[in-house]
Amino acid sequence: MLLHMSIIQVSGLHKAYGGRKAVDGVSFAVEEGEIFGILGPNGAGKSTTVECVEGLRRPDSGSVRVAGYDPATDRGPLTRILGAQLQDSELQPKITVREALELYAACCPEPADWHALAERLGLTDRLRTRFAKLSGGQKQRLFIALALIGNPRIVVLDELTTGLDPRARRDTWQLVEDVRDSGVTVLLVTHFMEEAQRLCDRIALLDKGRVTALDTPAGLIGRTRSGMAISFRPSAPLDTRPLADLPSVTSVKEDDGRIVVDGTDETVHALLSFLAGQKITARQLRITEATLDDAYLDLTGPDA
């Protein structure tokens, strides 16, 4: 994917509530045409950061620019280029899908064709359905449609798939990828590791109001203390002490007869050769590659 200019620029952002720092010097840039993820534990400052980008909160200090506009002062121009699905989005229970789409389109100076949006998002057969009767996945499809109805250059999606079942979550992921592929820049706030790893081109990892890492998903995973976990049950008693001296081993653990060795590709080959030399078979062998979950745990929390 070819990236262009930085369409969102956040520099030295600070925001406090009653003396408690929610955001403490956050800086990042979002390139036009990417899905940029903001990931972190509860209370990390994710939603406050995004609300400053959206113009819903004014920073105490630092700067935010969205396509050159200051969200705190340029509200009019900003609303014409930015669409948002908020974390706790709701509509009147009795409003129908058609009524919601028509209402939002009427508020936009150059709205998208809401009929086409409804068809694209699989809502055509739900146009007469009241909001309260929609499933969780259908509500999220509607919120995406409402975020896109103003033909934005940027769309903010905050905790989009919380509460959805696995199938609805994956369907929603495909919709987000379709939105990006149509040329819209996506700022995605999530706490689902699998979601971030699947969707995001780059991720800013926030913890305690600060950016602790900013990289591609693969780059973050590459920072983990272990690239792979090799677990097995030895076919005969095994002295685990020599395993710590194998290439790239970072830890060796034994739990109820099962041995877990953390290391890399090189470790796998060396371990299997060592076991063969000892005439020991690795039973119930499992080799698990590091994931974004592993990177998250390594890069957040008290030991980060």
Side-chain angles (χ1 to χ4, degrees):
M1 180 185 63
L2 179 63
L3 299 180
H4 303 91
M5 58 174 285
S6 295
I7 196 167
I8 299 174
Q9 185 76 48
V10 177
S11 301
L13 183 67
H14 290 262
K15 182 68 179 178
Y17 303 105
R20 182 186 66 83
K21 292 181 179 180
V23 178
D24 188 15
V26 164
S27 299
F28 61 84
V30 179
E31 304 301 323
E32 189 166 12
E34 71 175 336
I35 299 177
F36 186 91
I38 296 182
L39 183 65
N42 292 334
K46 304 187 301 296
S47 290
T48 296
T49 298
V50 168
E51 286 166 357
C52 290
V53 171
E54 295 167 322
L56 299 177
R57 296 191 186 274
R58 185 182 291 267
D60 295 334
S61 62
S63 67
V64 180
R65 293 294 182 270
V66 180
Y69 297 116
D70 182 345
T73 59
D74 301 325
R75 296 297 303 278
L78 184 69
T79 58
R80 289 193 286 271
I81 64 167
L82 186 144
Q85 168 270 331
L86 302 178
Q87 183 174 355
D88 296 314
S89 299
E90 283 293 333
L91 295 174
Q92 289 292 331
K94 292 185 178 180
I95 194 171
T96 66
V97 171
R98 176 190 289 274
E99 290 168 342
L101 292 168
E102 289 178 337
L103 175 63
Y104 275 62
C107 296
C108 299
E110 297 180 9
D113 180 355
W114 68 259
H115 298 87
L117 270 179
E119 182 174 357
R120 175 181 169 192
L121 294 171
L123 293 169
T124 302
D125 62 346
R126 292 290 182 268
L127 292 178
R128 296 184 180 180
T129 304
R130 298 186 188 278
F131 179 77
K133 298 294 185 181
L134 297 175
S135 69
Q138 290 164 350
K139 288 179 180 179
Q140 294 298 52
R141 288 171 180 267
L142 176 57
F143 288 133
I144 293 175
L146 298 178
L148 294 174
I149 208 160
N151 276 318
R153 292 173 60 190
I154 308 151
V155 64
V156 179
L157 305 175
D158 192 350
E159 304 289 5
L160 180 66
T161 61
T162 298
L164 298 187
D165 63 61
R167 182 175 298 279
R169 182 174 294 129
R170 289 181 180 274
D171 289 345
T172 303
W173 292 350
Q174 184 61 57
L175 292 175
V176 174
E177 290 175 327
D178 291 345
V179 168
R180 186 269 310 278
D181 292 343
S182 71
V184 178
T185 302
V186 178
L187 183 59
L188 178 71
V189 182
T190 183
H191 63 266
F192 289 118
M193 302 301 120
E194 186 182 5
E195 180 168 287
Q197 188 168 344
R198 156 78 182 266
L199 293 178
C200 296
D201 297 298
R202 291 187 301 134
I203 296 169
L205 183 58
L206 269 63
D207 191 29
K208 300 181 179 69
R210 296 175 177 268
V211 175
T212 59
L214 200 165
D215 209 331
T216 63
L220 291 175
I221 292 169
R223 300 189 194 188
T224 58
R225 299 185 182 110
S226 172
M228 287 189 172
I230 309 109
S231 65
F232 64 97
R233 291 186 183 276
S235 60
L238 175 64
D239 181 1
T240 60
R241 288 174 295 181
L243 300 183
D245 297 325
L246 295 176
S248 303
V249 169
T250 57
S251 70
V252 178
K253 301 181 288 288
E254 186 170 5
D255 183 19
D256 193 26
R258 189 169 191 85
I259 296 171
V260 180
V261 180
D262 292 329
T264 65
D265 281 333
E266 187 180 13
T267 308
V268 176
H269 299 297
L271 174 62
L272 294 178
S273 296
F274 175 82
L275 293 176
Q278 300 294 312
K279 299 187 177 354
I280 292 176
T281 302
R283 294 174 176 168
Q284 300 176 19
L285 177 66
R286 295 176 186 170
I287 302 174
T288 307
E289 292 189 44
T291 66
L292 199 56
D293 282 284
D294 300 306
Y296 177 87
L297 292 173
D298 281 352
L299 296 168
T300 61
D303 297 327

